[in-house]
Amino acid sequence: MPFSFKKTLLFTGLSFSLVLAGCAGDSEGEDESEGTNSEQQEEVQENEQEEKEKEQDQNQEAETASIEDQVQAYKDITKELGKMKEDQEVNWDMIKDTYTAELQPSLTSVNGEFDQAITAAISAGKDGSLEQNAARQIIDKTTQSYFYQKQKGMHGEIAKELEEGTKEKAQQQFDQLKFLANEVFIPTAVKRDSYYELEGDSSLEQNINAGLTTQQEALQAGNADDFGVYKQITDKSIYRSYFLAAQSYAEKIEKAANEGASNDELTVEQAEAWGFYQAIKGSLSSGDEEAAKQISTLFSLDQTEPTTIKADEVNDLFVQAFVGKIKGYHTEAVEEVENGNITKARTEALEANMFTKAIEMSMTETLGEEQSKETLQKAESWLEAVSNENAEEAEQLGQEIVSTLDQLVK
């Protein structure tokens, strides 16, 4: 693994953190000075804020309208990158120009670290300081991680339109989201379904489509609450797809290493795991920060030799983080029921159940098929108790579920 690209990744991440710290310091200073402004200055600021909000609205509309262009740019880039699989020359200038014009502005606004990784990979792929197929995978999979984060923002905008009663705008944006799902998320989910032989209610493809269908029904009914709740089916099914993608590459790396694959070949698969993991690593940190950091370390090309990656270790870390998240949602959902916030309680309960479903294979392996199915059925009863505002029953069922899940991380 060439040292130059390792340093690029390492220091771009560091620089980004320092930039954020610097911006935070500047903002605090500005806030202090604003307190001494005159009424005239306050009026100017209000006018500027109104203009800024109008500009933001226009930018959001422009971004929403350009989803098709972004997906097409992604396809054009991956098609060009795919030439290296046939030992054809890759036009790195075309890749850089397409990325800069069509993807970078929106991608940077969602996650600047994604942009830094993609930009560094394009440069390293072009100058040969990183094996080209590894660069290809970083560009491809990190862009897919961006699309995942993008859909979360789109969901928020749709919910806002529904709450304001503008169903037509909400439908237009939801159509964009469905386009993104069909073009990016479902093809990835289908690969995971095939690899892990997931069918029926375990199928990622079926779950994503089920989520989109229930959301569409809620949207047509103008029910913003149900739309937000059912979002969890769509979002967390995509989330699970990215988790299983990263996990599958850990398995492929270990298998290939045992079969004597070259370090370049292993690095390519490590890059794929790293790229997919970017979509969910921040979320997993809230379940178990140390576990999430360790997964990040294992997948990082500049920190871990791929020959040392063990699939069981990676899976155990994922399960540890998932269980942490599930336990948090169990506590919060019951508290929201007790406080009378039923929509939020339903949302958090469904999130917990989707994450529980995500680790179904680990439950089956550790607890056995019978206890795994029993736990998932109990989780459905728990969700029903939460929805029916039965805090006492939800508390009891939740304790039983959490006690079972704790067995996965002991």
Side-chain angles (χ1 to χ4, degrees):
M1 175 70 187
F3 180 73
S4 59
F5 186 72
K6 292 181 182 179
K7 285 189 68 176
T8 301
L9 281 181
L10 184 63
F11 287 109
T12 52
L14 178 61
S15 298
F16 184 67
S17 300
L18 292 174
V19 168
L20 285 180
C23 290
D26 292 343
S27 296
E28 289 173 2
E30 289 171 3
D31 289 341
E32 290 174 3
S33 65
E34 284 174 1
T36 62
N37 287 339
S38 65
E39 292 182 3
Q40 181 178 4
Q41 180 63 24
E42 289 175 0
E43 184 177 347
V44 170
Q45 289 177 333
E46 288 176 4
N47 291 336
E48 289 176 348
Q49 181 63 26
E50 288 177 5
E51 289 300 317
K52 184 177 180 181
E53 289 174 357
K54 288 179 182 178
E55 184 178 347
Q56 287 174 338
D57 290 340
Q58 290 171 353
N59 288 340
Q60 287 167 354
E61 290 175 6
E63 282 188 14
T64 301
S66 68
I67 284 296
E68 290 92 341
D69 291 338
Q70 291 183 43
V71 171
Q72 187 58 53
Y74 165 68
K75 289 183 175 182
D76 291 343
I77 288 170
T78 53
K79 182 179 180 180
E80 184 64 28
L81 288 168
K83 288 181 178 180
M84 65 182 67
K85 292 186 289 185
E86 306 297 328
D87 292 326
Q88 298 178 23
E89 185 176 353
V90 174
N91 186 340
W92 287 98
D93 289 334
M94 171 271 182
I95 291 169
K96 180 179 179 181
D97 291 345
T98 303
Y99 172 72
T100 302
E102 302 294 341
L103 282 165
Q104 190 176 43
S106 181
L107 193 145
T108 303
S109 71
V110 169
N111 190 313
E113 289 182 314
F114 289 179
D115 170 58
Q116 290 173 355
I118 293 171
T119 300
I122 292 173
S123 297
K126 182 179 180 179
D127 66 24
S129 59
L130 177 66
E131 201 281 327
Q132 285 201 344
N133 278 292
R136 171 170 65 90
Q137 295 300 345
I138 290 173
I139 295 164
D140 179 357
K141 302 314 187 289
T142 307
T143 304
Q144 288 195 49
S145 283
Y146 151 69
F147 280 130
Y148 172 72
Q149 294 293 332
K150 179 67 176 177
Q151 67 85 29
K152 292 179 75 69
M154 292 171 71
H155 264 119
E157 289 301 314
I158 296 165
K160 181 180 177 182
E161 296 292 355
L162 268 181
E163 289 170 359
E164 294 176 354
T166 49
K167 283 176 59 177
E168 185 176 346
K169 285 186 177 181
Q171 184 62 63
Q172 290 173 352
Q173 293 188 47
F174 191 60
D175 288 342
Q176 298 279 297
L177 192 148
K178 288 190 290 185
F179 173 84
L180 189 55
N182 287 324
E183 295 295 320
V184 178
F185 304 136
I186 289 178
T188 294
V190 168
K191 290 180 181 179
R192 308 292 84 79
D193 280 346
S194 175
Y195 181 85
Y196 286 109
E197 299 181 345
L198 302 176
E199 299 177 343
D201 65 359
S202 293
S203 165
L204 295 162
E205 179 187 15
Q206 290 190 33
N207 273 274
I208 293 171
N209 282 324
L212 292 170
T213 298
T214 52
Q215 284 187 279
Q216 181 63 69
E217 292 170 354
L219 193 157
Q220 289 176 336
N223 192 325
D225 288 346
D226 280 355
F227 182 87
V229 173
Y230 297 142
K231 163 198 167 184
Q232 301 307 324
I233 301 174
T234 306
D235 178 63
K236 298 310 179 292
S237 296
I238 301 169
Y239 189 117
R240 182 187 181 199
S241 176
Y242 281 56
F243 147 54
L244 290 179
Q247 176 62 38
S248 71
Y249 282 109
E251 295 166 11
K252 292 174 183 178
I253 290 167
E254 182 175 6
K255 183 175 184 292
N258 290 336
E259 294 173 351
S262 69
N263 196 67
D264 280 349
E265 291 173 306
L266 299 177
T267 298
V268 170
E269 293 186 322
Q270 186 181 15
E272 294 194 71
W274 184 90
F276 275 123
Y277 184 60
Q278 300 316 295
I280 62 174
K281 71 173 185 177
S283 170
L284 279 178
S285 293
S286 67
D288 190 305
E289 186 174 1
E290 288 306 312
K293 283 183 179 179
Q294 182 59 22
I295 296 170
S296 187
T297 297
L298 289 172
F299 288 155
S300 294
L301 278 64
D302 62 329
Q303 297 183 63
T304 301
E305 287 296 325
T307 53
T308 65
I309 293 175
K310 303 300 179 186
D312 285 345
E313 179 187 3
V314 172
N315 187 67
D316 288 346
L317 290 166
F318 269 122
V319 170
Q320 191 170 328
F322 272 114
V323 170
K325 289 185 71 66
I326 294 164
K327 291 168 70 172
Y329 283 125
H330 268 263
T331 300
E332 293 168 11
V334 173
E335 289 177 352
E336 295 300 341
V337 171
E338 293 172 342
N339 293 332
N341 301 323
I342 304 307
T343 297
K344 188 171 183 181
R346 290 171 60 210
T347 301
E348 294 183 335
L350 186 53
E351 283 192 82
N353 279 9
M354 293 302 296
F355 282 133
T356 303
K357 185 69 175 176
I359 57 173
E360 179 182 12
M361 288 187 291
S362 294
M363 284 197 296
T364 300
E365 184 177 345
T366 304
L367 307 174
E369 186 173 354
E370 183 177 347
Q371 190 172 5
S372 177
K373 286 184 177 179
E374 180 183 326
T375 303
L376 291 171
Q377 290 169 354
K378 194 172 290 185
E380 289 300 311
S381 298
W382 174 72
L383 173 60
E384 186 176 347
V386 169
S387 300
N388 291 334
E389 305 180 42
N390 190 333
E392 184 176 349
E393 182 182 0
E395 176 72 25
Q396 178 60 40
L397 287 168
Q399 289 177 358
E400 295 173 11
I401 294 166
V402 166
S403 177
T404 300
L405 295 179
D406 277 339
Q407 296 178 47
L408 304 178
V409 295
K410 288 182 179 178

